Amino acid sequence: MTFEQIIFYLFSAVLLAAAVGMVTVRSPVYAALCLILSFFTSAALWLLLEAEFLGLVLVLVYVGAVMVLFLFVIMMLDLNTDPLKEGLVKHAPVGFGVALVIAVEMIMVLQSAPFQIATPLNPAPANNTEALGAILYTDYVYPFEIAAVILVVAIIAAITLTLRRRPDSRKQDISQQVQVKRADRVRLVKMKAETKEQA
């Protein structure tokens, strides 16, 4: 067994343990941390397969941005998971049935015959990030730009939804704060000084 195979099996074992932990732990914060660990180990497996771009994007995008937002939302909402756990036993047979169907499908895919390629493929360049960028910006430039426009629209929609005026929210009106005068906020009250005899 080579060193690369040892590293592959090590990362695979950590990935499986993190995935099982993400599903089985009770705390949502621990589940998110297990998901972060599974992302890191998946990125390491991508690097072992010489797909550096996918591994780095997995770490930068998912671990660096998406999971930070997940943790922020989980900690801000103070989720109550008790109602979610009540229906676990009731829906367990359906879950086991779906898991069995997925396992059978994966076994059938793994036991199928390999694809027969009649003509040899062109050798890929050494830098797959450069090859991926060349394909994205030549053959798939229009779908790439459409995806970018859809993401921009989604960002604008999210900002619009968060900036809606709600009756229960308190907001500052800067123009009113600037126009306030001292007489509107300060009231001078004259009081007689207390002496020892009055006390």
Side-chain angles (χ1 to χ4, degrees), residues 90-149:
K90 182 174 69 174
H91 300 294
V94 178
F96 284 123
V98 172
L100 181 64
V101 169
I102 292 174
V104 169
E105 289 177 352
M106 291 179 67
I107 290 171
M108 291 173 63
V109 168
L110 291 175
Q111 289 182 349
S112 63
F115 294 107
Q116 300 295 329
I117 300 174
T119 58
L121 297 174
N122 294 328
N127 190 355
N128 57 10
T129 305
E130 181 182 353
L132 184 61
I135 290 174
L136 272 181
Y137 290 107
T138 54
D139 297 338
Y140 299 100
V141 64
Y142 290 118
F144 186 74
E145 294 296 329
I146 290 171
V149 170

Side-chain angles (χ1 to χ4, degrees), residues 49-71:
L49 293 172
E50 297 181 358
E52 301 89 3
F53 180 78
L54 294 177
L56 292 176
V57 164
L58 188 63
V59 171
L60 292 177
V61 174
Y62 284 94
V63 178
V66 175
M67 288 311 303
V68 172
L69 292 177
F70 278 7
L71 285 172

